[in-house]
Amino acid sequence: MDDTGTDTDTDTGTLTLRPLTARSIVLSTLLGHHPPQLPARALVRVGALFGTAEGTIRVALTRMVAAGDLEQSDGTYRLTDRLLARQARQDESRAPRTRRWDGGWEIAIVTSDRREAAERAALRQAMAALRLAELREGTWMRPANLVHPRPDVAAEQCGWFTGAPEGDPAELAARLWDLDGWARQARLLGAALDDAEEPAERFTVAAAALRHLLADPVLPARLLPEDWPGAELRRRYDGFERDFRAWLPRYAGGG
């Protein structure tokens, strides 16, 4: 699912979702579909669920091809390699690969003397994908409980080390991530998925839930608050996706 056009607000204990744009509808549909390709007629039918006109969806498809988001062949649209990588990250967020944690932390320290703004932005994006948090400028870390290859941008700009804090690791984790805030938002999203009845409403909530799962730090259990809702939100999203996969061919004729 695409993360564009969705938002949440837990300050008042309520969930706020912005309407999906035509581009977000197309991307969310393709990112949630395996293989990520569908005929235009299927994407138009999905857009109709949100009251989005056929012409608006077709204009979005044309613009997305021009922007390099999609490839088109014989009326079928598919994700480009760049967005296939995003789909892989989303899939991983639903079933992250973990290993037994021995108490060690992976630590990345920026070693490049001079970096262009684009290089700094690329590193920040890579570290977010690796689920590392920034302790201070140029120092990133997380418990070493994940199995994840390091992209070139992270290997080239940083020196990598393994260590452990002298203090309470749970306290350090709470400094690096807003765990209580993430948990509150996850519970709101899970409840909204359960309560949503109309397909368009479920679709919108699911897009926000998947975006939220991408921000789950996936910490070892002993560093998390009690009743951590990460696994439950994944279970509820998996239920949505099973329903979506069964529903889409019947509704949209996408096969």
Side-chain angles (χ1 to χ4, degrees):
M1 303 295 250
D2 179 38
D3 60 10
T4 306
T6 63
D7 198 8
T8 51
D9 181 1
T10 58
D11 292 340
T12 60
T14 59
L15 186 68
T16 303
L17 301 174
R18 292 173 294 169
L20 296 178
T21 65
R23 180 180 183 277
S24 293
I25 292 167
V26 170
L27 279 185
S28 292
T29 302
L30 291 174
L31 285 165
H33 192 261
H34 295 74
Q37 60 184 50
L38 286 168
R41 67 178 182 276
L43 296 167
V44 166
R45 290 291 304 278
V46 174
L49 284 175
F50 297 84
T52 303
E54 176 177 350
T56 303
I57 293 293
R58 291 190 180 276
V59 168
L61 290 171
T62 299
R63 290 176 176 172
M64 292 165 73
V65 170
D69 294 329
L70 302 178
E71 297 174 344
Q72 188 268 343
S73 177
D74 297 328
T76 294
Y77 291 83
R78 64 179 63 86
L79 298 180
T80 57
D81 289 346
R82 175 171 56 84
L83 288 171
L84 287 175
R86 183 194 295 191
Q87 186 183 55
R89 289 195 301 273
Q90 291 188 169
D91 290 346
E92 188 274 338
S93 75
R94 295 170 47 211
R97 293 182 295 163
T98 61
R99 61 187 177 189
R100 183 179 178 275
W101 187 51
D102 62 5
W105 289 60
E106 54 181 316
I107 304 164
I109 299 176
V110 174
T111 55
S112 300
D113 292 332
R114 294 183 179 180
R115 297 180 296 150
E116 299 293 334
E119 294 176 310
R120 293 195 299 270
L123 179 64
R124 186 168 293 276
Q125 183 178 21
M127 291 307 195
L130 292 171
R131 303 178 193 270
L132 272 74
E134 195 170 24
L135 179 66
R136 51 163 296 171
E137 179 69 27
T139 301
W140 302 79
M141 60 194 311
R142 66 157 296 109
N145 70 316
L146 290 183
V147 178
H148 50 197
R150 294 170 187 156
D152 290 343
V153 65
E156 292 168 357
Q157 294 191 40
C158 297
W160 290 81
F161 308 87
T162 300
E166 293 185 356
D168 183 352
E171 292 182 1
L172 176 58
R175 285 176 54 198
L176 292 170
W177 292 277
D178 179 11
L179 299 178
D180 290 337
W182 193 96
R184 285 194 301 270
Q185 192 165 341
R187 293 187 181 101
L188 287 171
L189 288 164
L193 268 177
D194 284 349
D195 294 341
E197 296 181 356
E198 296 299 322
E201 182 183 8
R202 292 199 75 203
F203 192 98
T204 303
V205 176
L210 189 54
R211 176 187 180 184
H212 197 54
L213 288 173
L214 284 166
D216 183 355
V218 192
L219 300 177
R222 71 176 190 255
L223 302 186
L224 293 171
E226 293 184 4
D227 301 323
W228 182 252
E232 180 63 20
L233 184 59
R234 287 181 174 85
R235 184 190 68 77
R236 289 175 173 175
Y237 182 85
D238 287 348
F240 160 80
E241 188 186 54
R242 285 192 299 271
D243 293 344
F244 177 74
R245 286 185 178 183
W247 167 86
L248 183 60
R250 296 197 305 267
Y251 176 80

